[in-house]
Amino acid sequence: MAAAQGRLSDGTGGMDDGNGEDREGGRAAPAPFRAAVDALRTARLRPQIEIEPTPAPRRLAPYAYALEATVVDGDQDLADGRLVLLHDPAGHDAWHGTFRLVTLVRAELEQEMAVDPLLPDVCWSWLTGALQARGLTYGEPSGTVTRASSHHFGGLSERPASSQIEIRASWTPREGLGSVPDTAAHLASWCDLLAQVAGLPPAGPGDASVVTLPQRRGPQSR
């Protein structure tokens, strides 16, 4: 299986691109944040998911670390997403904690799935179900599920209509020993969500409360 390790787009690895320093004073990141990032970088994931670090947003929290992932089947991309770990040692009123996980997940859909009125609720249940299936405790979940359709005209009229689902969400992971959340387990749950959105079968016994929509008829080309 692939590990959540890699190199940033600038050729550096580890905690570079502002992930390991205080952006105000250039100080080293606190130990809980370093431990949380180390857990992300060493997590073991299912082989269909390609994952690597990516530059983290700089304005959401004093410390941030980001990963991007693609669900791959052969030479086809089935879904993609981004997971950002935020940390504010002083705590954040809206988070009710010092850590926050923020995600974006996207995938193409068949037209009949895109018009299902229950689709947004089902997609949100995939997220919460993935966390619950691994026994994770979290708080203050929030997010949106957006579906969009594209229709082509003129010189593009031969292209078939397409639809996409997009899940944007954030939640506060429970902090454990040393005030460090189990980020590896949260990453694994996030990858479970990616796999489900992509239409892959579950890697193991799943949460019976999660509703599964039919798989797409065919993968999307890269």
Side-chain angles (χ1 to χ4, degrees):
M1 293 185 290
Q5 297 181 0
R7 304 187 71 82
L8 297 176
S9 58
D10 61 359
T12 61
M15 304 275 286
D16 290 338
D17 194 55
N19 288 322
E21 294 184 348
D22 184 319
R23 297 188 184 95
E24 297 297 329
R27 294 170 295 179
F33 178 71
R34 288 184 173 275
V37 170
D38 286 343
L40 289 175
R41 296 179 62 221
T42 57
R44 309 300 297 182
L45 308 174
R46 58 189 297 172
Q48 298 95 335
I49 297 179
E50 296 181 353
I51 191 164
E52 63 181 357
T54 188
R58 294 179 174 272
R59 298 181 180 179
L60 299 180
Y63 306 95
Y65 186 81
L67 295 167
E68 60 183 12
T70 304
V71 182
V72 178
D73 181 16
D75 61 350
Q76 310 293 326
D77 289 354
L78 303 180
D80 63 78
R82 194 179 196 213
L83 183 69
V84 180
L85 174 69
L86 304 176
H87 179 54
D88 186 341
H92 194 291
D93 292 341
W95 302 353
H96 290 182
T98 63
F99 283 91
R100 188 76 171 172
L101 285 162
V102 182
T103 185
L104 165 66
V105 172
R106 298 174 299 193
E108 298 292 328
L109 296 174
E110 292 296 330
Q111 290 297 308
E112 60 269 25
M113 295 174 63
V115 299
D116 188 333
L118 296 179
L119 179 65
D121 298 289
V122 170
C123 288
W124 186 255
S125 79
W126 285 347
L127 170 63
T128 58
L131 294 168
Q132 293 166 6
R134 293 184 180 271
L136 293 170
T137 303
Y138 61 96
E140 307 304 319
S142 64
T144 60
V145 177
T146 304
R147 50 186 165 187
S149 298
S150 298
H151 299 266
H152 307 282
F153 301 92
L156 302 177
S157 60
E158 293 185 358
R159 293 186 182 182
S162 60
S163 295
Q164 184 182 73
I165 191 72
E166 180 179 276
I167 303 171
R168 293 179 180 268
S170 63
W171 64 95
T172 299
R174 183 182 66 85
E175 297 172 15
L177 185 65
S179 300
V180 181
D182 188 354
T183 50
H186 281 271
L187 174 59
S189 293
W190 181 69
C191 288
D192 292 341
L193 170 65
L194 270 173
Q196 193 157 24
V197 170
L200 296 182
D207 186 345
S209 68
V210 177
V211 181
T212 301
L213 289 179
Q215 295 185 22
R216 296 192 305 276
R217 285 195 294 264
Q220 302 298 314
S221 299
R222 274 184 172 179

